[in-house]
């Protein structure tokens, strides 16, 4: 996977990306990062890339020319996804990350000031992406967020011990809580079932925790999950009925022995 990032602050991108898991993937050649400084494509002697907004209003806007020339310098294959990070965009989520991870090259354009002249966005951008309903000072952090979540879906980027399976948002559920040693810390203990060695019981506990937490913290996600997991509720109802029947039999037996 190759990322090209058009930005006024290339070091912000490269310094974050060259550390930790993404840094290792760069060294291993699984990822490639190419940053381009938009300012290098300024046409005037002050190296300016922004100007006042037509129609008035506070703040400056990035001019279309330097952004376009920076993009053209990449010479990417026609059809390459070109992402503009902006609060006025489709909200990013795990399924969007999965969609982008299928590409082999993605271009990011990071805006600053009040944004970028609309004409160059209309001309070259394929995806306007927001990372949430709040406003940041620039598009670098959103680009890094998107690149990070896409990178970990690229085969080989996560090591064996860093498996992406079973994690939050898989199938709309949030991840269950996890624990490591020591089994007793301060006055808190690891849930007993996790020490039992009973894998089926552990799986069931984890699923129940995921459902409970999702329902409490993200009712919107819970509704999506519940709508596509009718079989879970049927199974649960069957189990409850079986247990009620067992209890009824136990009480009947008890009454019979008392009557003897
Ligand atoms: N630029 C500024 N704020 C942003 C946001 N929330 N998402 C994407 N790009 C942005």
């Amino acid at each position: 996977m190759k990322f090209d990032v058009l930005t006024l602050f290339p070091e912000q991108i490269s310094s974050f990306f060259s550390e930790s898991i993404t840094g290792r993937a760069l060294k291993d050649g699984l990822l490639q990062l190419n940053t381009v400084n938009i300012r290098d494509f300024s046409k005037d002697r002050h190296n300016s890339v922004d100007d006042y907004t037509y129609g008035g209003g506070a703040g400056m806007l990035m001019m279309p020319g330097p952004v376009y020339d920076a993009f053209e310098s990449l010479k990417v294959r026609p059809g390459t996804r070109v992402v503009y990070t902006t609060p006025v965009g489709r909200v990013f989520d795990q399924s969007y990350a999965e969609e982008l991870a299928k590409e082999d090259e993605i271009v990011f354009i990071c805006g600053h000031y009040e944004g970028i002249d609309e004409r160059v966005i209309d001309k070259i951008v394929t995806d306007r992406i927001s990372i949430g309903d709040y406003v940041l000072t620039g598009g670098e952090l959103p680009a890094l967020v998107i690149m990070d979540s896409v990178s970990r879906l690229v085969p080989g980027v996560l090591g064996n011990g860093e498996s992406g399976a079973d994690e939050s948002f898989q199938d709309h559920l949030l991840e269950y809580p996890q624990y490591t040693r020591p089994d007793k810390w301060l006055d808190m203990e690891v849930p007993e079932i996790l020490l039992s060695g009973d894998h089926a019981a552990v799986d069931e506990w984890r699923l129940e925790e995921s459902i409970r937490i999702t329902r409490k913290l993200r009712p919107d996600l819970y509704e999506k999950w519940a709508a596509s997991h009718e079989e879970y509720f049927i199974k649960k109802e069957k189990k409850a009925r079986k247990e009620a029947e067992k209890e009824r039999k136990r009480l009947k037996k008890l009454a019979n022995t008392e009557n003897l």
Side-chain angles (χ1 to χ4, degrees), residues 175-214:
E175 198 177 38
Y176 45 80
Q178 305 214 65
Y179 305 86
T180 184
R181 280 193 279 202
D183 58 2
K184 202 180 261 175
W185 179 71
L186 300 180
D187 63 341
M188 291 174 275
E189 287 179 23
V190 171
E192 217 175 304
I193 190 104
L194 300 179
L195 311 175
S196 69
D198 181 342
H199 297 301
V202 168
D203 285 349
E204 195 179 331
W205 180 87
R206 286 179 167 167
L207 176 64
E208 290 299 329
E209 280 295 285
S210 279
I211 295 168
R212 181 183 67 77
I213 290 162
T214 309

Side-chain angles (χ1 to χ4, degrees), residues 156-254:
V157 168
L158 292 186
N160 286 341
E162 302 154 351
S163 158
D166 255 12
E167 68 212 358
S168 288
F169 303 114
Q170 206 103 356
D171 200 19
H172 300 303
L173 285 182
L174 299 180
E175 198 177 38
Y176 45 80
Q178 305 214 65
Y179 305 86
T180 184
R181 280 193 279 202
D183 58 2
K184 202 180 261 175
W185 179 71
L186 300 180
D187 63 341
M188 291 174 275
E189 287 179 23
V190 171
E192 217 175 304
I193 190 104
L194 300 179
L195 311 175
S196 69
D198 181 342
H199 297 301
V202 168
D203 285 349
E204 195 179 331
W205 180 87
R206 286 179 167 167
L207 176 64
E208 290 299 329
E209 280 295 285
S210 279
I211 295 168
R212 181 183 67 77
I213 290 162
T214 309
R215 194 172 178 180
K216 186 170 160 201
L217 300 179
R218 292 290 305 275
D220 57 324
L221 288 181
Y222 173 76
E223 290 303 328
K224 279 189 195 160
W225 179 82
S228 57
H229 288 81
E230 204 185 335
E231 81 291 345
Y232 168 82
F233 296 98
I234 294 169
K235 208 165 133 192
K236 210 168 160 140
E237 207 178 297
K238 247 190 203 159
K239 197 174 160 193
R241 231 183 283 137
K242 229 180 185 171
E243 255 151 42
E245 180 65 12
K246 218 162 108 189
E247 182 64 359
R248 195 185 61 76
K249 277 187 182 153
R250 190 184 69 82
L251 291 173
K252 196 173 163 193
K253 205 167 152 195
L254 201 72

